[in-house]
Amino acid sequence: LVVVFGTAVAFAPAPRITWAHKEVGLVHFHEPGIFNYSTFLLSEHEDTLYVGAREAVFALNALYIAEKQHEVYWKVSEDKKAKCVEKGKSKQTECLNYIRVLQPLDANTLYVCGTNAFQPICDYLLKDSPAIASYHLTCALQFLLKLPNGELYSGTSYNFLGSEPIISRHSSQSPLRTEYAIPWLNEPSFVFVDVIRRHFSDTEVEDDKVYFFFMEVSVEYEFVFKLMIPRIARVCKGDQGGLRTLQKKWTSFLKARLICSKPDSNLVFNMLQDVFVLRGPWLKEPVFYAVFTPQLNNMGLSAVCAYNLSTVEEVFSRGKYMQSTMVEQSHTKWVRYNGAVPRPRPGACINSEARAANFTSSLNLPDKTLQFVKDHPLMDDSIMPYEGKPLLIKKDVNYTQIVVDRVQALDGTIYDVMFISTDKGALHKAISLENSMHIIEETQLFQDFAPVRALLLSSKKGKKFVYAGSNSGMIQGAVAFCGKHITCVDCVLARDPYCAWSPHVATCVALHQEPIPGRDLIQNMSGDVSACPDRVKESYWQHFFKHGGTAELRCSQKSNLAQVVWKFQNSVLNANNSTKYILVGRDNLLIFNLSKEDSGVYQCLSEETVNNKTVSQLLAKHVLEVKLILHTPAAPTLS
Amino acid sequence: LVVVFGTAVAFAPAPRITWAHKEVGLVHFHEPGIFNYSTFLLSEHEDTLYVGAREAVFALNALYIAEKQHEVYWKVSEDKKAKCVEKGKSKQTECLNYIRVLQPLDANTLYVCGTNAFQPICDYLLKDSPAIASYHLTCALQFLLKLPNGELYSGTSYNFLGSEPIISRHSSQSPLRTEYAIPWLNEPSFVFVDVIRRHFSDTEVEDDKVYFFFMEVSVEYEFVFKLMIPRIARVCKGDQGGLRTLQKKWTSFLKARLICSKPDSNLVFNMLQDVFVLRGPWLKEPVFYAVFTPQLNNMGLSAVCAYNLSTVEEVFSRGKYMQSTMVEQSHTKWVRYNGAVPRPRPGACINSEARAANFTSSLNLPDKTLQFVKDHPLMDDSIMPYEGKPLLIKKDVNYTQIVVDRVQALDGTIYDVMFISTDKGALHKAISLENSMHIIEETQLFQDFAPVRALLLSSKKGKKFVYAGSNSGMIQGAVAFCGKHITCVDCVLARDPYCAWSPHVATCVALHQEPIPGRDLIQNMSGDVSACPDRVKESYWQHFFKHGGTAELRCSQKSNLAQVVWKFQNSVLNANNSTKYILVGRDNLLIFNLSKEDSGVYQCLSEETVNNKTVSQLLAKHVLEVKLILHTPAAPTLS
């Protein structure tokens, strides 16, 4: 038996630069005694960031979050808290009101929901003053989406009151919900919900669709123990439920599994952590970016997969269904359904074809179609990621959240910049370069290394920020730290589409901030530094040391992808296994037992290889002079 | 959604001591031009180790393997090699004869089989001279067991000749084999085969049983892609096949899955690497030790699980069977069979109950029983490991092979010492201590870090050795390196059941080697060093240094579980972020810019915590004297 270990997997490289918490300018917000800053709502026209925390909602200046504009506290009533504690829940952590939903309603009103000690509650919050609680939900709310027409879409899972998991629409005209049945929802955890508007450009007048991203216990897969499976479910906004079958239930509820795996390396990412929808006028169709970790044998592994909306829609509109069958009287097995599918297609929105056949509403869909979708809500075809594999696989990290910004580099190339947070309070900024991943930088957002629970991007021109929340506080950071790159070579090697070198002011400038000084900016996303001007000024340090002493020569190198090379009189020094030289503090050189022969020029160079081309940069130059110092005789001492 | 990362898994600790390749005495054997030392046979009464390599068999002195006694070369004939190359296989690696089987036949004859360029061949090898090839197998041989009665049990899998995987018995009286059918064998890889003799102590006269350990593609589990599953299959030695149904096929072939997992940590180990059977007169029943790695998301994780023979037998003799069912005309699903089971029990050996009912041989078993076992060779009940979980889970290592030695400590306690090899040429020696694993030491067996392909233990009293083979050579090592522990405290803290301190000769001695000097040996497996005599002699180094110079004080600490603490005049020195002190080469202390105040006593101590008790040991003592040296005036120099 020959076993091959350690098959080469193309893991993403280390972040090129690691910024310590204090190294970059981050704006902090934290209210003493308030925890769990996990729900964000950005009002771009007001430049206000609304933040939902535990028992509090804050309105902050979005341009400088340390500036609090308003605050509202929303505690659990004493009787509710008592009831919750009676049921065995923790008074300190569970029987509290965690704000989970913040949605704009109109110019003056926010819609706010909280967990309220397992009795979720929603409220209209008039900006500047809180209104009275006005809306009660009876389940453990996990996710909610409110549309401008007043419809409320929510995903809720089990709670101790014994209610079942449901995906529902709260609406005065047409409230709808899922069936209480394992094939519909099997112990789900909701991750994300969003509405995708119809395409007006199409000849077909399509319905708006609401997409739910969640994990649930798999019915189609089995291993030594319970397997979780990530899913997308979608419902049509125009759904009115059935007339007899599926009365007040979704007639358009379909779900499919999301695949994020690399079979040739035996990697399976089936724990969905977060989803971000990238959309904009420049995009043909929305793209779902999703962050995953593995359920099995996870020693710190994360992946990002991207899914095109059309891939998702293709599965729902043309894919095969799954069918459950009872085997040997007691086992339910799910397999591909190969039989005839009724018309109109079960689970489809009412489209022109249906209307042409006189089915103008879900209420008059034939019973056969409704019964079929009731029994077959699960698709057999899987939703495959863009290019069939993860965009990025990273070792030794657990990713928690993702936001994506679409940026145009100087040469016109478009980059989707991913900001991905970790469970250790850090943020990775990554782009795809020539089919390989480049993690531009890693920023330690939270000094206490707390997991990042929420991430938001403000991508307004000239006001681009990343907001992040953890249990202990929140921060606001720039999308790029261009100014930290002090040379042209540094600025170009960063391969950061936000940054370019301005020879005019000899500074690495942020392209998204106006005004950009001068023209002839230098940026090269493949890391070619040939356009950089030759460095004119070369400074050095002069040192004088005593014979027999020890010298420490300093050098600082930020790039994790570069190597430091020390040269003495233009020859490379070897500090390995040397009794003369030691590298300390990563890059500094210690020279022992100084003698006259050690006098001369020491240079610290960084060597970084990009696209098989090595760029060498002088980081520090030291001129050393060792002197034989004259001592005056001293009396011997006793010790 | 609150996600909890990094659930605490009790991984095995680091090996306490890491021995570099040159640090311990290892005996090497390597014949120039010969590779793949992968098959061992030890003849204890001759003290000869037979080694099968690629195209060669060697007889080595088992007490000193560097001494070659005989050698036989066995190459593939030119026409066979040409045929093999024609079929697209590699001339340099595949179309050769890899020795896979070495079995003793009688005092003068060995039974040898080789892969022979995909045309497996077996031969009787007369000791001292090779005989002519006499036995041909037609499949890609993987494992083979020859019983003294001449029966030959083999497991073979697919080869390019198109033959099917089979488990067979080659015997003139009663040749038997498995059915060519997925339920019997589904793309198997054989790992191990052994015979377990009947218990004579039992009132029941049981048959001898042959156990096959292998992996195959799972039929009962499914995930995003093909899942492998480890199995034990067993057949009865007395099996004669059926008369009509299962004619010349096994009537006693049953298989079950081997579980090695930790569900609370989502760890599943389903890649079986090696099996060792621990047995002996002192054992109530044989124990199977098995080494596993995960198939999914494996970033270097290994586990050892142990299975009692009775647990295995219980599943085969009383467990439920699995049943395959066709679902929706095209999907085969396997579920627990809950129907009636015919008598005699399908797959059981002919036992007293069967004999009492007049079934004296498998040839007269009823058709119902035979048809049932033909359709239901797979058990539904799983074989669970001892204590329901892995004995050991280790991060950052891929284990390849295992052997186990049963050792009695001085206090009479029995320890099963596991020797587990890695794919990087190392060997771990581990024992279970008070419900936690203790990896006594790690030895770098192969300098080239090549994977260990074969491991053998010679446990003869006074001649205990570990033999290991890799592609490039083989080594012989001691089971313990007691003499390397130079103090009583070191010897006790090793917690190695092979070693004890002899105050008589002031040496850490090996208990398995005669004669043991003196009585009153000191060993304490819980690491209590209180019985160790106070160290009498305390040596120290005296140093004189110049004012302004740098001192390097040496200290060496072998235990990876200990910390080094430096003291100056009995106060602890802090070398972190200090410009005065730096630790180099792990434990050595550098002192910069020496002045008179630095004169005094420096002590290097190791602190090791065992069972919540910290043992402190003085490793080195340095007495430093800094002198102001009188210089004579020197002329200034120009540089």
Side-chain angles (χ1 to χ4, degrees):
Chain A
L1 176 76
V2 177
V3 182
V4 179
F5 288 111
T7 37
V9 180
F11 291 112
R16 182 173 179 273
I17 293 184
T18 303
W19 301 113
H21 182 70
K22 300 258 182 205
E23 237 176 323
V24 286
L26 299 172
V27 184
H28 296 251
F29 174 74
H30 162 71
E31 188 73 21
I34 300 294
F35 299 94
N36 294 74
Y37 299 78
S38 59
T39 309
F40 295 160
L41 171 66
L42 181 68
S43 168
E44 292 203 336
H45 72 277
E46 298 173 299
D47 281 331
T48 297
L49 179 68
Y50 295 94
V51 178
R54 195 170 79 184
E55 319 225 295
V57 177
F58 301 100
L60 310 176
N61 177 352
L63 304 180
Y64 182 68
I65 62 162
E67 189 187 313
K68 183 171 66 184
Q69 295 169 336
H70 295 289
E71 62 198 318
V72 169
Y73 292 92
W74 195 12
K75 288 180 186 290
V76 175
S77 66
E78 283 307 316
D79 61 315
K80 285 246 164 56
K81 188 178 274 188
K83 263 186 206 161
C84 175
V85 171
E86 254 172 47
K87 291 193 167 113
K89 300 284 168 178
S90 155
K91 192 173 176 177
Q92 276 72 41
T93 61
E94 294 173 300
C95 299
L96 298 169
N97 191 20
Y98 291 83
I99 306 302
R100 285 276 184 271
V101 173
L102 275 177
Q103 297 242 336
L105 210 63
D106 56 47
N108 268 315
T109 322
L110 289 185
Y111 193 73
V112 187
C113 304
T115 58
N116 198 37
F118 290 87
Q119 304 232 7
I121 190 168
C122 293
D123 194 348
Y124 297 100
L125 179 69
L126 295 170
K127 290 178 184 174
D128 306 355
S129 71
I132 300 304
S134 61
Y135 196 77
H136 288 255
L137 298 163
T138 50
C139 318
L141 179 76
Q142 279 191 315
F143 263 88
L144 192 136
L145 175 78
K146 194 163 174 72
L147 298 188
N149 68 352
E151 284 175 1
L152 195 69
Y153 290 80
S154 70
T156 59
S157 52
Y158 282 102
N159 71 350
F160 65 61
L161 298 170
S163 54
E164 299 281 331
I166 59 169
I167 285 178
S168 56
R169 178 169 70 196
H170 310 267
S171 138
S172 46
Q173 282 110 50
S174 178
L176 289 180
R177 62 173 180 78
T178 45
E179 282 273 331
Y180 295 145
I182 285 174
W184 284 53
L185 288 171
N186 191 20
E187 303 178 38
S189 292
F190 291 95
V191 172
F192 184 78
V193 54
D194 209 351
V195 63
I196 302 283
R197 311 271 165 206
R198 75 192 87 183
H199 308 273
F200 286 102
S201 57
D202 266 329
T203 49
E204 166 77 80
V205 181
E206 275 186 10
D207 201 357
D208 291 351
K209 285 160 193 161
V210 178
Y211 292 86
F212 290 86
F213 290 81
F214 59 102
M215 283 190 287
E216 62 174 353
V217 172
S218 176
V219 291
E220 69 270 48
Y221 292 135
E222 271 180 89
F223 200 13
V224 177
F225 41 76
K226 250 186 199 179
L227 287 175
M228 299 301 293
I229 200 86
R231 304 238 193 249
I232 306 185
R234 77 108 169 82
V235 293
C236 306
K237 196 163 155 275
D239 196 344
Q240 307 278 301
L243 199 59
R244 283 172 304 271
T245 306
L246 292 178
Q247 200 183 2
K248 302 211 166 168
K249 307 274 166 62
W250 298 108
T251 67
S252 59
F253 179 83
L254 288 179
K255 63 181 183 178
R257 58 187 161 270
L258 272 178
I259 298 292
C260 188
S261 73
K262 204 159 181 305
D264 54 353
S265 311
N266 277 311
L267 301 177
V268 191
F269 300 92
N270 58 323
M271 300 298 276
L272 178 65
Q273 303 296 344
D274 192 31
V275 175
F276 179 85
V277 190
L278 183 70
R279 51 184 143 198
W282 16 262
L283 266 176
K284 219 183 76 206
E285 53 170 337
V287 178
F288 300 109
Y289 278 83
V291 167
F292 295 87
T293 53
Q295 175 191 1
L296 301 177
N297 311 315
N298 183 18
M299 297 287 102
L301 203 58
S302 297
V304 176
C305 278
Y307 305 88
N308 291 327
L309 177 65
S310 54
T311 311
V312 176
E313 275 306 297
E314 179 71 18
V315 168
F316 287 128
S317 60
R318 266 180 280 272
K320 290 271 189 182
Y321 298 84
M322 285 204 101
Q323 153 95 342
S324 78
T325 309
M326 191 67 94
V327 177
E328 290 285 305
Q329 286 98 50
S330 57
H331 308 276
T332 306
K333 293 283 178 183
W334 286 79
V335 295
R336 177 184 283 253
Y337 173 77
N338 284 316
V341 173
R343 305 294 311 175
R345 183 175 164 93
C349 300
I350 300 297
N351 56 14
S352 53
E353 191 192 326
R355 267 185 289 268
N358 240 351
F359 301 111
T360 54
S361 150
S362 63
L363 288 164
N364 53 25
L365 282 173
D367 222 50
K368 257 191 177 170
T369 288
L370 295 179
Q371 193 58 48
F372 189 94
V373 74
K374 186 181 170 186
D375 296 339
H376 304 79
L378 177 59
M379 306 309 298
D380 185 54
D381 287 304
S382 301
I383 294 169
M384 299 304 290
Y386 177 68
E387 292 194 333
K389 60 173 200 245
L391 283 181
L392 180 157
I393 303 175
K394 188 88 186 74
K395 273 207 292 191
D396 304 320
V397 73
N398 286 309
Y399 284 147
T400 59
Q401 301 276 315
I402 187 170
V403 293
V404 182
D405 192 19
R406 180 154 274 221
V407 180
Q408 191 164 21
L410 263 191
D411 65 0
T413 313
I414 296 288
Y415 292 96
D416 288 346
V417 184
M418 299 186 277
F419 295 87
I420 323 164
S421 63
T422 78
D423 67 336
K424 298 274 190 291
L427 187 71
H428 287 185
K429 180 170 128 191
I431 54 170
S432 181
L433 278 181
E434 285 138 29
N435 294 320
S436 73
M437 261 299 141
H438 171 51
I439 303 186
I440 300 168
E441 57 202 359
E442 171 180 46
T443 310
Q444 191 60 44
L445 299 180
F446 294 101
Q447 203 161 10
D448 61 357
F449 297 91
V452 176
R453 300 275 185 218
L455 208 56
L456 181 77
L457 182 79
S458 132
S459 52
K460 207 170 157 183
K461 183 83 183 159
K463 294 173 182 176
K464 285 201 173 190
F465 295 110
V466 173
Y467 304 98
S470 78
N471 282 352
S472 56
M474 55 175 298
I475 70 96
Q476 169 192 6
V479 290
F481 305 106
C482 305
K484 302 284 289 180
H485 308 297
I486 27 178
T487 67
C488 176
V489 169
D490 255 352
C491 184
V492 171
L493 283 182
R495 288 178 292 154
D496 186 331
Y498 291 109
C499 302
W501 182 257
S502 163
H504 182 70
V505 290
T507 306
C508 190
V509 296
L511 294 175
H512 59 283
Q513 277 167 346
E514 305 283 359
I516 293 169
R519 270 168 290 165
D520 307 320
L521 295 174
I522 301 168
Q523 185 190 58
N524 187 303
M525 292 301 289
S526 57
D528 182 346
V529 298
S530 56
C532 281
D534 285 333
R535 225 171 146 186
V536 192
K537 204 185 66 179
E538 204 172 69
S539 62
Y540 63 92
W541 283 277
Q542 176 91 44
H543 308 269
F544 297 96
F545 284 96
K546 285 188 295 188
H547 195 274
T550 304
E552 183 174 6
L553 304 183
R554 295 187 175 274
C555 183
S556 162
Q557 160 57 42
K558 280 303 290 176
S559 172
N560 298 317
L561 307 182
Q563 264 199 310
V564 152
V565 175
W566 276 94
K567 284 189 177 174
F568 172 50
Q569 308 284 63
N570 285 319
S571 302
V572 173
L573 288 180
N574 187 1
N576 290 339
N577 297 318
S578 160
T579 53
K580 182 77 187 171
Y581 307 106
I582 284 184
L583 282 184
V584 291
R586 199 174 153 211
D587 299 330
N588 296 346
L589 183 72
L590 275 184
I591 313 170
F592 298 116
N593 204 7
L594 289 168
S595 71
K596 225 183 113 258
E597 289 71 41
D598 296 321
S599 296
V601 177
Y602 290 83
Q603 287 177 299
C604 171
L605 299 142
S606 93
E607 291 190 345
E608 185 162 354
T609 304
V610 184
N611 290 322
N612 299 321
K613 233 171 123 176
T614 300
V615 179
S616 184
Q617 222 190 143
L618 180 66
L619 298 176
K621 188 169 173 178
H622 298 267
V623 178
L624 206 75
E625 201 171 319
V626 180
K627 289 189 172 177
L628 209 60
I629 291 174
L630 309 183
H631 288 276
T632 47
T637 49
L638 288 167
S639 54
Chain B
L1 176 76
V2 175
V3 183
V4 179
F5 289 111
T7 37
V9 180
F11 291 111
R16 182 173 177 272
I17 292 184
T18 303
W19 301 115
H21 181 70
K22 300 257 181 206
E23 238 175 322
V24 287
L26 300 171
V27 184
H28 296 250
F29 174 74
H30 163 71
E31 187 72 22
I34 299 294
F35 299 94
N36 295 74
Y37 300 78
S38 59
T39 310
F40 296 160
L41 171 67
L42 181 68
S43 168
E44 291 203 338
H45 72 278
E46 301 173 296
D47 282 331
T48 297
L49 179 68
Y50 295 94
V51 178
R54 198 171 77 184
E55 318 225 293
V57 178
F58 301 99
L60 309 176
N61 178 351
L63 304 180
Y64 182 68
I65 61 162
E67 189 187 314
K68 184 171 65 184
Q69 295 168 337
H70 297 287
E71 62 198 318
V72 168
Y73 292 91
W74 196 10
K75 289 182 186 290
V76 176
S77 65
E78 283 307 317
D79 62 316
K80 285 245 164 57
K81 188 178 274 189
K83 263 186 205 161
C84 175
V85 171
E86 253 172 46
K87 292 198 166 109
K89 300 283 168 180
S90 156
K91 192 174 178 177
Q92 277 74 40
T93 61
E94 294 172 300
C95 298
L96 298 168
N97 191 19
Y98 292 83
I99 307 301
R100 286 274 185 274
V101 174
L102 275 178
Q103 297 241 340
L105 209 62
D106 56 46
N108 269 315
T109 322
L110 288 185
Y111 194 73
V112 188
C113 304
T115 57
N116 197 37
F118 291 87
Q119 304 231 9
I121 189 167
C122 293
D123 194 345
Y124 297 100
L125 179 68
L126 296 169
K127 289 177 185 175
D128 306 356
S129 73
I132 301 302
S134 61
Y135 197 79
H136 287 255
L137 297 163
T138 50
C139 318
L141 179 76
Q142 277 193 315
F143 263 89
L144 190 135
L145 176 77
K146 191 162 177 75
L147 299 188
N149 67 354
E151 284 175 359
L152 194 72
Y153 290 81
S154 69
T156 57
S157 53
Y158 283 103
N159 72 351
F160 67 59
L161 299 171
S163 54
E164 299 282 329
I166 60 169
I167 285 179
S168 55
R169 179 170 69 197
H170 310 266
S171 139
S172 47
Q173 282 108 52
S174 178
L176 289 180
R177 61 171 180 82
T178 44
E179 283 271 330
Y180 295 145
I182 285 172
W184 283 53
L185 287 172
N186 191 20
E187 302 177 38
S189 293
F190 292 95
V191 172
F192 184 78
V193 57
D194 209 352
V195 64
I196 303 284
R197 311 270 166 209
R198 73 193 88 182
H199 309 272
F200 285 102
S201 56
D202 267 329
T203 48
E204 167 76 82
V205 181
E206 277 186 7
D207 201 358
D208 292 352
K209 287 159 192 163
V210 178
Y211 292 85
F212 289 86
F213 290 79
F214 60 102
M215 285 189 286
E216 62 175 352
V217 173
S218 175
V219 291
E220 69 270 49
Y221 293 134
E222 272 180 87
F223 199 16
V224 177
F225 41 76
K226 250 186 199 179
L227 287 175
M228 299 301 292
I229 200 86
R231 305 235 193 252
I232 306 185
R234 77 107 170 83
V235 293
C236 306
K237 196 164 153 276
D239 196 344
Q240 306 278 302
L243 198 61
R244 284 174 302 272
T245 306
L246 291 178
Q247 200 184 1
K248 303 209 165 172
K249 307 274 165 66
W250 297 108
T251 68
S252 59
F253 178 83
L254 288 179
K255 62 180 183 179
R257 60 187 160 269
L258 273 177
I259 298 292
C260 188
S261 73
K262 202 159 187 300
D264 55 352
S265 310
N266 277 311
L267 300 177
V268 190
F269 300 92
N270 57 323
M271 299 300 275
L272 179 65
Q273 304 295 344
D274 192 31
V275 175
F276 180 85
V277 190
L278 183 69
R279 49 185 144 198
W282 17 261
L283 265 177
K284 219 182 74 205
E285 55 170 337
V287 179
F288 300 108
Y289 279 82
V291 167
F292 295 88
T293 52
Q295 175 190 2
L296 302 177
N297 312 314
N298 183 17
M299 296 289 103
L301 204 58
S302 296
V304 177
C305 277
Y307 306 87
N308 291 327
L309 178 64
S310 55
T311 311
V312 177
E313 275 306 296
E314 180 70 19
V315 167
F316 287 128
S317 60
R318 267 181 280 273
K320 290 272 188 181
Y321 298 85
M322 285 204 101
Q323 153 95 343
S324 77
T325 308
M326 191 65 94
V327 176
E328 290 285 306
Q329 286 100 49
S330 56
H331 309 275
T332 306
K333 292 284 178 182
W334 287 79
V335 296
R336 175 183 285 254
Y337 173 77
N338 284 315
V341 173
R343 305 292 314 172
R345 184 177 163 91
C349 300
I350 301 296
N351 57 13
S352 54
E353 191 192 325
R355 268 184 289 268
N358 240 351
F359 301 112
T360 54
S361 151
S362 63
L363 288 165
N364 54 21
L365 281 173
D367 222 51
K368 254 189 179 172
T369 289
L370 296 178
Q371 193 58 49
F372 189 94
V373 75
K374 185 180 170 186
D375 296 339
H376 303 79
L378 176 58
M379 306 309 298
D380 185 54
D381 287 304
S382 301
I383 294 170
M384 298 304 292
Y386 178 69
E387 293 195 331
K389 58 172 199 248
L391 284 181
L392 182 157
I393 303 174
K394 188 89 185 77
K395 272 206 293 191
D396 303 320
V397 73
N398 286 309
Y399 284 147
T400 58
Q401 301 277 316
I402 186 169
V403 293
V404 182
D405 192 17
R406 180 154 276 218
V407 180
Q408 192 165 21
L410 265 190
D411 65 0
T413 312
I414 296 287
Y415 292 95
D416 289 346
V417 185
M418 300 186 275
F419 295 88
I420 323 164
S421 62
T422 77
D423 67 336
K424 299 274 189 292
L427 187 70
H428 287 185
K429 180 170 129 190
I431 54 170
S432 182
L433 278 180
E434 287 139 27
N435 295 318
S436 72
M437 261 299 142
H438 171 51
I439 302 185
I440 299 167
E441 57 202 2
E442 172 181 45
T443 310
Q444 190 60 44
L445 299 180
F446 294 101
Q447 205 163 9
D448 62 356
F449 299 91
V452 177
R453 301 272 184 222
L455 209 56
L456 180 77
L457 183 78
S458 132
S459 52
K460 207 169 158 183
K461 184 80 182 165
K463 294 175 183 176
K464 287 202 171 191
F465 295 110
V466 173
Y467 304 98
S470 77
N471 282 353
S472 57
M474 53 172 303
I475 70 97
Q476 169 193 7
V479 291
F481 306 106
C482 305
K484 302 283 290 180
H485 307 297
I486 28 178
T487 68
C488 176
V489 169
D490 255 354
C491 185
V492 171
L493 282 183
R495 288 178 291 153
D496 186 331
Y498 291 110
C499 303
W501 183 257
S502 162
H504 182 68
V505 290
T507 306
C508 190
V509 297
L511 294 175
H512 60 283
Q513 277 169 346
E514 305 285 359
I516 292 169
R519 271 169 288 166
D520 306 321
L521 295 174
I522 300 167
Q523 184 190 59
N524 186 302
M525 292 301 288
S526 56
D528 183 347
V529 299
S530 56
C532 281
D534 286 333
R535 224 171 147 183
V536 192
K537 203 186 65 179
E538 205 172 67
S539 63
Y540 64 91
W541 284 276
Q542 176 90 44
H543 308 269
F544 298 96
F545 284 96
K546 285 188 294 187
H547 195 273
T550 304
E552 184 174 4
L553 304 183
R554 295 188 174 270
C555 182
S556 163
Q557 159 57 44
K558 280 303 292 178
S559 172
N560 298 318
L561 307 182
Q563 264 198 311
V564 150
V565 175
W566 276 93
K567 284 188 176 176
F568 172 50
Q569 307 287 62
N570 286 318
S571 301
V572 172
L573 287 180
N574 186 0
N576 289 339
N577 295 319
S578 160
T579 53
K580 182 78 187 172
Y581 307 107
I582 283 184
L583 282 184
V584 290
R586 199 173 151 211
D587 299 329
N588 296 346
L589 183 72
L590 275 185
I591 313 171
F592 297 115
N593 204 7
L594 289 168
S595 70
K596 226 182 109 259
E597 290 72 42
D598 296 320
S599 295
V601 178
Y602 290 83
Q603 288 177 299
C604 171
L605 299 143
S606 93
E607 291 191 347
E608 184 160 354
T609 304
V610 184
N611 290 322
N612 300 320
K613 234 171 120 177
T614 300
V615 180
S616 184
Q617 222 190 146
L618 181 67
L619 298 176
K621 189 169 171 177
H622 298 268
V623 178
L624 207 75
E625 202 172 319
V626 180
K627 290 188 171 175
L628 208 60
I629 291 175
L630 307 183
H631 288 277
T632 48
T637 51
L638 285 168
S639 56

